Each structure stands twice: as C-alpha cells, then as structure tokens.
Short mmCIF file of all heavy atoms in Angstrom, two decimals:
data_model
loop_
_atom_site.label_atom_id
_atom_site.label_comp_id
_atom_site.label_asym_id
_atom_site.label_seq_id
_atom_site.Cartn_x
_atom_site.Cartn_y
_atom_site.Cartn_z
N GLY V 1039 8.64 -12.28 -24.85
CA GLY V 1039 9.56 -11.59 -24.16
C GLY V 1039 8.96 -11.02 -22.82
O GLY V 1039 9.45 -10.03 -22.24
N GLY V 1040 7.70 -11.31 -22.55
CA GLY V 1040 7.04 -10.82 -21.29
C GLY V 1040 7.47 -11.37 -20.07
O GLY V 1040 7.03 -11.14 -19.01
N GLY V 1041 8.57 -12.23 -20.20
CA GLY V 1041 9.13 -12.88 -19.04
C GLY V 1041 8.54 -14.26 -18.85
O GLY V 1041 7.72 -14.72 -19.41
N GLN V 1042 9.33 -15.07 -18.12
CA GLN V 1042 8.95 -16.51 -17.83
C GLN V 1042 7.88 -16.54 -16.75
O GLN V 1042 8.07 -16.19 -15.61
CB GLN V 1042 10.21 -17.26 -17.46
CG GLN V 1042 9.99 -18.70 -17.15
CD GLN V 1042 9.64 -19.51 -18.56
OE1 GLN V 1042 10.00 -19.01 -19.58
NE2 GLN V 1042 9.12 -20.58 -18.36
N MET V 1043 6.70 -16.93 -17.20
CA MET V 1043 5.56 -17.07 -16.28
C MET V 1043 5.32 -18.53 -15.84
O MET V 1043 5.17 -19.33 -16.76
CB MET V 1043 4.27 -16.49 -16.76
CG MET V 1043 4.38 -14.95 -16.97
SD MET V 1043 2.79 -14.27 -17.39
CE MET V 1043 1.84 -14.34 -15.97
N ASP V 1044 5.36 -18.87 -14.55
CA ASP V 1044 5.08 -20.18 -14.37
C ASP V 1044 3.58 -20.30 -14.22
O ASP V 1044 2.87 -19.46 -14.29
CB ASP V 1044 5.81 -20.65 -13.09
CG ASP V 1044 5.31 -19.81 -11.76
OD1 ASP V 1044 4.49 -19.04 -11.87
OD2 ASP V 1044 5.86 -20.01 -10.75
N VAL V 1045 3.02 -21.67 -14.10
CA VAL V 1045 1.64 -21.82 -14.00
C VAL V 1045 0.93 -21.11 -12.91
O VAL V 1045 -0.12 -20.57 -13.12
CB VAL V 1045 1.41 -23.36 -13.91
CG1 VAL V 1045 -0.02 -23.75 -13.68
CG2 VAL V 1045 1.98 -24.17 -15.15
N MET V 1046 1.57 -21.10 -11.76
CA MET V 1046 0.90 -20.42 -10.61
C MET V 1046 0.82 -18.94 -10.83
O MET V 1046 -0.31 -18.50 -10.68
CB MET V 1046 1.77 -20.58 -9.31
CG MET V 1046 1.12 -20.12 -8.12
SD MET V 1046 2.07 -20.13 -6.62
CE MET V 1046 2.19 -21.93 -6.45
N SER V 1047 1.71 -18.14 -11.38
CA SER V 1047 1.65 -16.83 -11.55
C SER V 1047 0.60 -16.46 -12.58
O SER V 1047 -0.17 -15.69 -12.59
CB SER V 1047 2.93 -16.14 -11.81
OG SER V 1047 3.54 -16.69 -12.91
N LEU V 1048 0.60 -17.43 -13.62
CA LEU V 1048 -0.28 -17.19 -14.77
C LEU V 1048 -1.71 -17.34 -14.26
O LEU V 1048 -2.68 -16.68 -14.53
CB LEU V 1048 0.06 -18.34 -15.87
CG LEU V 1048 -0.81 -18.10 -17.14
CD1 LEU V 1048 0.02 -18.12 -18.33
CD2 LEU V 1048 -1.66 -19.45 -17.16
N LEU V 1049 -1.99 -18.38 -13.44
CA LEU V 1049 -3.33 -18.63 -12.87
C LEU V 1049 -3.81 -17.54 -12.09
O LEU V 1049 -4.89 -17.01 -12.02
CB LEU V 1049 -3.26 -19.93 -12.25
CG LEU V 1049 -4.63 -20.55 -11.70
CD1 LEU V 1049 -5.68 -20.49 -12.90
CD2 LEU V 1049 -4.52 -21.84 -11.09
N LEU V 1050 -2.82 -17.16 -11.09
CA LEU V 1050 -3.20 -16.04 -10.16
C LEU V 1050 -3.55 -14.70 -10.93
O LEU V 1050 -4.50 -14.08 -10.55
CB LEU V 1050 -2.05 -15.82 -9.27
CG LEU V 1050 -1.72 -16.94 -8.35
CD1 LEU V 1050 -0.49 -16.63 -7.55
CD2 LEU V 1050 -2.90 -17.30 -7.39
N THR V 1051 -2.83 -14.42 -11.95
CA THR V 1051 -3.08 -13.17 -12.73
C THR V 1051 -4.34 -13.26 -13.50
O THR V 1051 -5.22 -12.33 -13.38
CB THR V 1051 -1.92 -12.90 -13.67
OG1 THR V 1051 -0.64 -12.82 -13.05
CG2 THR V 1051 -2.14 -11.63 -14.48
N ALA V 1052 -4.62 -14.48 -14.13
CA ALA V 1052 -5.83 -14.54 -14.86
C ALA V 1052 -7.08 -14.54 -13.87
O ALA V 1052 -8.11 -13.93 -14.26
CB ALA V 1052 -5.80 -15.92 -15.67
N LEU V 1053 -6.99 -15.18 -12.79
CA LEU V 1053 -8.14 -15.25 -11.87
C LEU V 1053 -8.47 -13.79 -11.33
O LEU V 1053 -9.53 -13.52 -11.29
CB LEU V 1053 -7.75 -16.15 -10.59
CG LEU V 1053 -7.92 -17.55 -10.82
CD1 LEU V 1053 -7.31 -18.38 -9.65
CD2 LEU V 1053 -9.39 -18.05 -11.05
N GLN V 1054 -7.42 -13.06 -11.04
CA GLN V 1054 -7.65 -11.68 -10.44
C GLN V 1054 -8.16 -10.81 -11.61
O GLN V 1054 -9.11 -9.93 -11.27
CB GLN V 1054 -6.36 -11.16 -9.83
CG GLN V 1054 -6.66 -9.83 -9.03
CD GLN V 1054 -5.57 -9.53 -8.10
OE1 GLN V 1054 -4.56 -10.20 -8.05
NE2 GLN V 1054 -5.72 -8.42 -7.24
N GLN V 1055 -7.60 -10.76 -12.81
CA GLN V 1055 -7.98 -9.83 -13.76
C GLN V 1055 -9.44 -10.12 -14.37
O GLN V 1055 -10.08 -9.18 -14.76
CB GLN V 1055 -6.94 -9.65 -14.89
CG GLN V 1055 -5.63 -9.12 -14.36
CD GLN V 1055 -4.58 -8.85 -15.35
OE1 GLN V 1055 -4.73 -9.35 -16.47
NE2 GLN V 1055 -3.51 -8.09 -15.02
N GLN V 1056 -9.61 -11.42 -14.68
CA GLN V 1056 -10.86 -11.84 -15.35
C GLN V 1056 -12.01 -12.12 -14.41
O GLN V 1056 -13.08 -11.75 -14.68
CB GLN V 1056 -10.58 -13.02 -16.19
CG GLN V 1056 -9.62 -12.72 -17.28
CD GLN V 1056 -9.36 -14.01 -18.19
OE1 GLN V 1056 -10.27 -14.85 -18.30
NE2 GLN V 1056 -8.15 -14.05 -18.75
N LEU V 1057 -11.76 -12.57 -13.26
CA LEU V 1057 -12.84 -13.10 -12.31
C LEU V 1057 -12.95 -12.09 -11.05
O LEU V 1057 -13.95 -12.18 -10.44
CB LEU V 1057 -12.75 -14.41 -11.91
CG LEU V 1057 -12.71 -15.45 -13.06
CD1 LEU V 1057 -12.50 -16.92 -12.50
CD2 LEU V 1057 -13.99 -15.43 -13.87
N GLY V 1058 -11.93 -11.35 -10.72
CA GLY V 1058 -11.84 -10.55 -9.74
C GLY V 1058 -11.68 -11.28 -8.42
O GLY V 1058 -11.99 -10.90 -7.29
N VAL V 1059 -11.02 -12.50 -8.50
CA VAL V 1059 -10.86 -13.36 -7.42
C VAL V 1059 -9.31 -13.26 -7.04
O VAL V 1059 -8.52 -13.48 -7.95
CB VAL V 1059 -11.19 -14.86 -7.82
CG1 VAL V 1059 -10.83 -15.86 -6.72
CG2 VAL V 1059 -12.65 -15.02 -8.12
N LYS V 1060 -9.06 -12.97 -5.92
CA LYS V 1060 -7.73 -12.93 -5.33
C LYS V 1060 -7.37 -14.08 -4.45
O LYS V 1060 -8.13 -14.23 -3.41
CB LYS V 1060 -7.64 -11.47 -4.60
CG LYS V 1060 -6.07 -11.38 -4.24
CD LYS V 1060 -5.83 -10.02 -3.65
CE LYS V 1060 -4.43 -9.77 -3.14
NZ LYS V 1060 -4.24 -8.51 -2.45
N LEU V 1061 -6.27 -14.68 -4.80
CA LEU V 1061 -5.88 -15.79 -3.83
C LEU V 1061 -4.73 -15.25 -2.82
O LEU V 1061 -3.83 -14.58 -3.24
CB LEU V 1061 -5.27 -16.94 -4.61
CG LEU V 1061 -6.21 -17.62 -5.59
CD1 LEU V 1061 -5.36 -18.72 -6.33
CD2 LEU V 1061 -7.39 -18.28 -4.86
N GLU V 1062 -5.11 -15.50 -1.55
CA GLU V 1062 -4.13 -15.06 -0.49
C GLU V 1062 -3.55 -16.25 0.13
O GLU V 1062 -4.31 -17.22 0.53
CB GLU V 1062 -4.88 -14.30 0.55
CG GLU V 1062 -5.45 -12.92 0.01
CD GLU V 1062 -6.30 -12.22 1.04
OE1 GLU V 1062 -6.48 -12.67 2.23
OE2 GLU V 1062 -6.62 -11.10 0.78
N SER V 1063 -2.24 -16.27 0.29
CA SER V 1063 -1.62 -17.31 0.99
C SER V 1063 -1.58 -17.02 2.44
O SER V 1063 -1.28 -16.09 2.91
CB SER V 1063 -0.15 -17.40 0.44
OG SER V 1063 0.51 -18.47 1.22
N ARG V 1064 -2.11 -18.04 3.17
CA ARG V 1064 -1.96 -17.96 4.59
C ARG V 1064 -2.03 -19.40 5.27
O ARG V 1064 -2.43 -20.38 4.55
CB ARG V 1064 -3.20 -17.08 5.10
CG ARG V 1064 -4.64 -17.84 4.77
CD ARG V 1064 -5.66 -16.99 5.30
NE ARG V 1064 -7.00 -17.39 4.68
CZ ARG V 1064 -8.00 -17.01 5.10
NH1 ARG V 1064 -8.27 -16.24 6.21
NH2 ARG V 1064 -9.18 -17.42 4.47
N LYS V 1065 -1.66 -19.47 6.48
CA LYS V 1065 -1.67 -20.71 7.14
C LYS V 1065 -3.05 -20.90 7.77
O LYS V 1065 -3.51 -19.98 8.49
CB LYS V 1065 -0.51 -20.78 8.07
CG LYS V 1065 0.78 -20.79 7.51
CD LYS V 1065 1.79 -21.09 8.60
CE LYS V 1065 3.12 -20.95 7.73
NZ LYS V 1065 4.11 -21.90 8.23
N ASP V 1066 -3.68 -22.02 7.49
CA ASP V 1066 -4.96 -22.27 8.00
C ASP V 1066 -4.97 -23.79 8.37
O ASP V 1066 -4.32 -24.53 7.81
CB ASP V 1066 -6.01 -21.86 6.98
CG ASP V 1066 -7.40 -21.62 7.71
OD1 ASP V 1066 -7.56 -21.78 8.97
OD2 ASP V 1066 -8.29 -21.27 6.93
#
C-alpha cells in the first residue's frame, strides 16, 4: 500500500538513501 513505485523511482530512492548519491536530470 505504499504506492506504485516504478523502477526509476525505486532506484533513485535507494541510491540517495543508501549511498548518498543523488541523480539530477539535466541536458548535457
């Protein structure tokens, strides 16, 4: 019941909370 998490949001959350790595979307 925590909501529908897609692969992207699951991966982004795990990376930030466990590794302290934040992904930022930008045009490069």
Side-chain angles (χ1 to χ4, degrees):
Q1042 183 69 19
M1043 294 184 76
D1044 60 5
V1045 174
M1046 184 183 297
S1047 60
L1048 183 126
L1049 186 56
L1050 294 176
T1051 303
L1053 282 170
Q1054 189 163 3
Q1055 290 182 353
Q1056 294 180 32
L1057 302 179
V1059 175
K1060 183 177 180 184
L1061 297 181
E1062 296 178 350
S1063 180
R1064 63 178 165 167
K1065 293 188 181 221
D1066 201 358

